[in-house]
Amino acid sequence: MLTFTIRRLILAVPTLLFISLVIYSLLEFAPGDPMANMPLTIPDEVKQQMREALGVGQPIWISFPKWLYQFFIVEPLVLIDGIFGSTFSEGQQRIISWQTRSPVMDIVAERLPQTLWVVGTAYVVAILIALPIGIYSAYRQYSVFDQAGTFVAMVGYSVPPFFSGVLVIVIFSVNLGWLPSIYDTTLEVVDWETFKLQLKQMIMPVMVLALQITSQISRFMRASMLDNLKQDYVRTARAKGMSEWTVVMVHVLRNSMIPVVTVIALGIPSIFGGAIITEQVFKVNGIGQLLITAIQANDLPTVQTLTFVFAILIVLFNLLADVLYGILDPRIRYD
Amino acid sequence: MTDATNATIGEKMPEAPARGRWADVWRQFRAHRGAFWGMMFLVFITLFVTVGPLIWPHDPTALDIRSKDMRPFYVGLFAGEDSNVKWSWEHPLGTDNLGRDLMAKLMLGGQVSLAVGWVAMLLALFLGALIGVSAGFFKSLDGPLMRMTDLFLALPLLPLLLVMMLLFREPLRATFGSETGTFILIVVVIGITSWMQTARVVRGDVLALKEREFILAARSIGTPSSKIISRHLLPNVMSAIMVSATLGLANAIITESAISFLGLGFPPDFPTWGKLLSDATSRLQRFPERVIWPGVAISFTVLAVNYMGDGLRDALDPRIRGR
C-alpha cells in the first residue's frame, strides 16, 4: 500500500510541473501591461523601471523558475512564519498582484474561507441527500420514486447554475421575499439572530450547488447499488436468513460505496470550478469571484496563481481518490 | 442471398421482414419516451431558431423606443384590463429597454448558441476519435497519447477557458472581425478542452475490437491500416461516439452560456442565450421574464439532448435492446 501511494505521489510531480508550465506559458502571451492603469503623467523611463521592478519582460527561462521558487518555497515559508511566528521568509520576494500590489496569497487567504464555507456545506448537504436517494432508487428500481429521482437528476445536470441561481432569486427573494439575494460576507455570527441571518443567506447558494452535485452522486450510487444487488453474495446473505436491512445497508452498501467514494473525491475540485459561477450569481466574494475580477483587470500573477491553485486541488484529489480506491478495494493494489 | 439459401434448404422463413441493426436501434430509441420527446424538442427548437426569424415580423436589432419595456402577454392578461401593465400581442414575450422584441432576440441568440454547440461538439468528437483511435490502434502511440489525455484531464478547465478567452479574444477579433473571431475562439476553446472523455471511450473500444477475428481476417488479406480503421473500426465505435456526441453537445451549450454569462463571450449587443440571461440579471426585480425565457431555452435544450443521449445509450446497447 505504501509503495502504491508513493508511486502515485511521484507521478503527480511531473503532472504538476507540466500544468504549471502550460498555465505560465499561456499567460506569457497575454497582452496585459501592469502599467496600463497608471496616470499618463508618469514618464516613460519611470514606467519602464516600475515594470522591471514587477518582473515584467524577463525571458521565460528566468521568470518561470523564479515563479516556481516563489510558489513552492517562499509562499509555504510565509505560511510557516504565520503559524509559528518564525522569520524564514524575511526579505524574500513574494508573488505580487498587479491590481492591489499586495501578495496574491494574502488575498487568496482572505477569500478562501467564504468559498470553502459555501462549497463545503454544499458538498456535505449534497452527499447527505444523494446517498439515500441513490440507495432507495436502486432498491426499488423502476418504481415511481426511482423515475422521479431519475427525472430530478436529469434536471439537476441540465439546468446550469447561473439559471437555477437566478431562478431561486426570483422566487425566494423577489416574489416571496424570504431570503436575501446577496451573500453578505461581513456578517459575523455572534448570537442567535446573526446565526439565523447567516443560515438564511447560505440556503440559496448551497442549494444551487448541491442540486448539481446531488444529481451526479445519486446516479452513481444507484448504478453501483444495482450492480451489487444482483451479485451472488446478496442471495447467499438472504438465504442465510439475514434481515433485509442488514443485507442492503451492510453488505451491499459497503461494496457499492467503493466507486462512489472515489467519485466523491474526484468531484471536489470541479466543484470549485462550478463555484465560480455560483459565487458570481450570489455575489459571494470567494476565490472564484477573485479569479473573474483578476481576469477582467488583466492581473496576470493573480490569475496564474489561482489557476494553479485549482490545478493543485485537482491533482491532489485525484491522488486521494486513487489511494482511497486502493484502501477500499484490495484488488486495486498491485504492489 | 441468405434468404435464397434458406429457401432452398427449406428452413422455416421468418415471419416478419428482417430488420437491420439501425431499424432496431430506432425502434428502441422511439420506445424511450424521454429520448423521443427530447428529439422532438430539439427539432422544434432548431426550427424555432432557423425558420422562426423568417416568419417572425420583428428584427432583433430594430430599436423602437416607443414600445420599450413591454411585459409578456401572460403578465398583461393576469393583471386584467384596467391595470397599467404595458403589453401587446405585437410582442408576446415583451421587449427590452430599447424596445427590441424578446422573441426575435431569443431566435437570434438560439442560432448562435446552437451553432456554437454543434460546431464545438463536432470538433471535440473529431479530436477525441482521432486520438482515441490512434492510441488504441497503434501501440507505440498509446502511452504518450493517454498520458497527454490524463494531463488534460488534470487541467482546471473552467478557469483555463476563461483565461484563454481573455488572451486570444483581441488578436482574433482583429483578424476575423469581432463576431466571427469570437465564434472561432469559443468553438476552438470548448473543442480542445472537452475531447478527453471521447478519446478514452473510443480507445477502450478500439483496444477490444482490435483483437477480434474480423480484424485479423482483414489484416491477413493485406488490408492497409488506414482501410482497417475507416472500414472496420470506425463503424464499430460509432455507437460510443454518438453517445458522447450528445453529452458533448449539452456540455458545449452550457459552457458557451457560462462564458457569456461571465461576460467573456461574444461582444455586447450580440445576443446568445447566455448573454441575454446575464444582461437581464441587473433588472431582474422588475423584468424577471427576460431572465427566465433564455434560461428556459438553455435548460430545455440541454435537458432534451441529455435525454436523447440516455435513450441512445439504451438503444445502442444490444444487451438492453431486446427487452
Side-chain angles (χ1 to χ4, degrees), chain A residues 15 18-19 26-27 30 142 151 154-155 157-160 162-163 166-167 169-170 174 273 276-277 280-281 291-292 295-296 303 307 310-311 314, chain B residues 151 154-156 158-160 162-164 166-167 254 257-258 261-262 264 277 281 284-285 288 291-292 295-296 298-299 302-303 306-307 310 323:
Chain A
T15 314
F18 170 79
I19 294 171
L26 201 68
L27 283 163
Y142 302 127
F151 179 72
M154 240 2 175
V155 171
Y157 47 66
S158 299
V159 180
F162 52 84
F163 180 52
V166 171
L167 203 64
I169 289 182
V170 170
V174 178
I276 294 178
I277 293 167
Q280 197 71 8
V281 172
L291 180 73
I292 302 290
I295 284 179
Q296 278 159 356
V303 177
T307 322
F310 282 122
I314 294 180
Chain B
L151 285 178
L155 290 173
L158 191 60
L160 266 192
L162 299 177
V163 168
M164 276 148 86
L166 164 80
L167 297 186
I254 289 212
S257 326
F261 179 79
L262 293 173
L264 286 160
L277 201 160
T281 41
L284 174 66
Q285 314 236 338
V291 171
I292 288 174
V296 164
I298 299 171
S299 310
V302 173
L303 189 65
N306 275 338
Y307 261 117
D310 217 30
R323 211 176 54 199

Side-chain angles (χ1 to χ4, degrees), chain A residues 209-229:
Chain A
L209 267 177
L211 176 66
Q212 279 191 308
I213 312 163
T214 307
S215 47
Q216 282 169 16
I217 297 178
S218 71
R219 289 288 86 189
F220 266 106
M221 190 70 225
R222 175 177 178 272
S224 172
M225 285 289 283
L226 280 178
D227 278 351
N228 274 295
L229 276 169

Side-chain angles (χ1 to χ4, degrees), chain B residues 62-70 86 91 95-100:
Chain B
L63 305 184
D64 180 8
I65 213 75
R66 265 189 211 135
S67 54
K68 69 166 188 171
D69 286 341
M70 289 231 186
K86 197 171 142 190
H91 303 285
T95 58
D96 69 358
N97 54 347
L98 295 172
R100 290 172 294 192

Side-chain angles (χ1 to χ4, degrees), chain B residues 58 66-96 101 287 289-290:
Chain B
H58 299 288
R66 265 189 211 135
S67 54
K68 69 166 188 171
D69 286 341
M70 289 231 186
R71 304 302 308 272
F73 69 94
Y74 51 86
V75 175
L77 289 180
F78 190 71
E81 280 294 311
D82 42 309
S83 66
N84 51 5
V85 174
K86 197 171 142 190
W87 69 284
S88 83
W89 286 111
E90 187 83 342
H91 303 285
L93 291 186
T95 58
D96 69 358
D101 185 62
F287 303 102
E289 69 272 7
R290 290 184 202 161

